[in-house]
Amino acid sequence: MRDFHGIGLEYIWKEVDEVSNKEKSNSIIDEEKDGIIYRKVDWSNIYGELDEGEYDMKFISLNSYYIKITFTINENGNINEYNCSFGW
């Protein structure tokens, strides 16, 4: 997970190191409720517990379509703010 924004050191993001070489596809959990399939991704077995701070994830398709999720983790380890955007 990495992205760069703005100018100055406070805007340079560091990529989170993987703590395991397990397949990411093994972290996808599908749940069905009322005929709707919900897909949940738990990457804690790959990236471990994330420290307090701001994070950025970007998923890019082969035709350059992307989904970007920015989120903040508070001192209790919970997500307390997030934003999702998409484009191409």
Side-chain angles (χ1 to χ4, degrees):
M1 294 181 280
R2 175 176 51 192
D3 207 350
F4 298 96
H5 297 281
I7 300 171
L9 291 177
E10 68 273 13
Y11 293 103
I12 297 176
W13 295 58
K14 179 184 171 205
E15 186 165 348
V16 176
D17 295 326
E18 293 183 11
V19 296
S20 170
N21 61 359
K22 291 183 179 181
E23 285 290 324
K24 290 177 178 67
S25 60
N26 293 339
S27 301
I28 298 172
I29 303 162
D30 288 336
E31 296 177 2
E32 184 175 347
K33 183 179 178 182
D34 299 326
I36 300 172
I37 297 175
Y38 296 88
R39 179 162 282 177
K40 183 178 185 179
V41 180
D42 180 0
W43 285 341
S44 60
N45 62 340
I46 296 170
Y47 292 106
E49 295 294 321
L50 298 176
D51 295 329
E52 177 182 2
E54 294 180 38
Y55 293 86
D56 201 38
M57 290 177 26
K58 197 170 192 180
F59 302 95
I60 303 172
S61 70
L62 294 175
N63 59 359
S64 298
Y65 176 80
Y66 70 88
I67 297 173
K68 180 178 171 182
I69 303 168
T70 303
F71 59 98
T72 302
I73 296 181
N74 64 20
E75 65 277 355
N76 298 323
N78 298 316
I79 294 176
N80 62 349
E81 190 176 313
Y82 68 92
N83 185 7
C84 184
S85 60
F86 58 92
W88 51 88

